[in-house]
Amino acid sequence: MAKPAAPKKSLFEKAAELLWRSDARFHYELDTLRCGHLTFVAYGDDVIQSSLPSGLLLKAETDIGDVLQFIHDTVASRDPYSPPRHLGGNGKELEELLMNEAKRLEKDGSLTMGRYGTMVSMVDDAWLPVPSLPDFEGVRSSGRQFIIEAKVCSQPSFRIQNDKIKQKQLRHMLKRSRFNVDCYVLIHFNARLGRTFYEPAFTVAMQILDGAGGWAAGWAQFAECKEKDTEFPGLTRQLAQELGIPVKWHIPPRANKLRPDLLGLVGAA
């Protein structure tokens, strides 16, 4: 006699099991998904309801990714430090937010930060830009310097290639790190939504330190590589979260938009 087929799992059951197995914040038991004080329950095949006054109406075109996004966004709505879901891919929006936060902190006497100037070279009677230095350099109230190169990534991983980050930028930071300057590649990973997945946004700072071992040594290997087409291992989202310094977001006093917690990264001392 044929073994009866197992009952088909609902979208909510599939999403809840994925979260339970991959994210320690979630616990799934007795058809209820929990994250801290939040709970998520499915009512038939029509709606997923949270303990907040919010729900997700399931339609024919709803996929697991949509369910995962609803759950992640509901959890993020309770966290005042959650990063924005999406920033402009060219990094200019992130740079502007960092500068606005630096201006506020300068008024408080905590730190000062400015942009490195764009360098140009005369070629055939025309001024042409040359590979630039990192985006920002700053000094804390203690006198200790820091350098930041800001990036935004919408892909599964951040590619260590010249079209994403310049070798000259890394060489500059590696050299300065030998003199106790704190150097970071600050990367905001935009949220990614697919039919079967949802990856929430997050921001990390990868410290650039001359002589570092492990995966971090790849920054120096790339910086000194003479072959422009050499492939280097990309920085996956999972690896960035494991190795990077988490950067929180906040809405400062008298501001109406989220900004990176710059002081939390570089420190006040």
Side-chain angles (χ1 to χ4, degrees), residues 30-49:
L30 300 176
D31 299 325
T32 301
L33 180 67
R34 302 182 187 278
C35 180
H37 296 296
L38 285 175
T39 59
F40 299 87
V41 179
Y43 291 96
D45 296 326
D46 300 319
V47 66
I48 298 172
Q49 187 67 44

Side-chain angles (χ1 to χ4, degrees), residues 121-128 130:
S121 177
M122 177 68 76
V123 178
D124 296 331
D125 297 324
W127 290 106
L128 299 176
V130 298

Side-chain angles (χ1 to χ4, degrees), residues 122-240:
M122 177 68 76
V123 178
D124 296 331
D125 297 324
W127 290 106
L128 299 176
V130 298
S132 64
L133 293 172
D135 292 318
F136 305 108
E137 60 84 26
V139 182
R140 295 175 290 196
S141 58
S142 64
R144 183 156 177 166
Q145 186 188 17
F146 61 89
I147 296 173
I148 294 175
E149 170 67 16
K151 297 294 182 183
V152 172
C153 178
S154 298
Q155 305 305 316
S157 63
F158 180 78
R159 293 174 56 238
I160 313 300
Q161 298 291 331
N162 262 310
D163 60 340
K164 297 298 181 183
I165 188 167
K166 303 301 182 185
Q167 291 174 302
K168 183 176 181 179
Q169 294 170 336
L170 286 172
R171 285 197 296 268
H172 180 78
M173 288 190 282
L174 287 163
K175 181 178 180 180
R176 291 298 176 89
S177 76
R178 294 198 291 269
F179 295 88
N180 294 321
V181 176
D182 295 325
C183 302
Y184 306 98
V185 177
L186 190 152
I187 309 173
H188 178 77
F189 286 88
N190 282 330
R192 294 182 68 241
L193 173 65
R195 289 190 60 191
T196 60
F197 69 89
Y198 178 72
E199 296 175 336
F202 66 95
T203 309
V204 294
M206 308 300 297
Q207 189 165 18
I208 306 301
L209 187 63
D210 189 51
W215 188 92
W219 296 112
Q221 294 169 5
F222 167 71
E224 300 301 330
C225 183
K226 303 301 182 184
E227 301 295 331
K228 292 185 178 181
D229 296 329
T230 302
E231 291 287 338
F232 285 82
L235 179 65
T236 65
R237 290 174 178 244
Q238 180 178 349
L239 196 59

Side-chain angles (χ1 to χ4, degrees), residues 69-101:
Q69 180 180 12
F70 165 71
I71 294 171
H72 274 295
D73 287 354
T74 303
V75 172
S77 70
R78 299 291 298 271
D79 182 0
Y81 303 114
S82 290
R85 187 187 301 172
H86 186 272
L87 293 177
N90 62 4
K92 297 301 180 184
E93 185 177 1
L94 177 59
E95 292 176 20
E96 181 181 356
L97 292 170
L98 285 166
M99 271 308 308
N100 289 341
E101 182 68 351

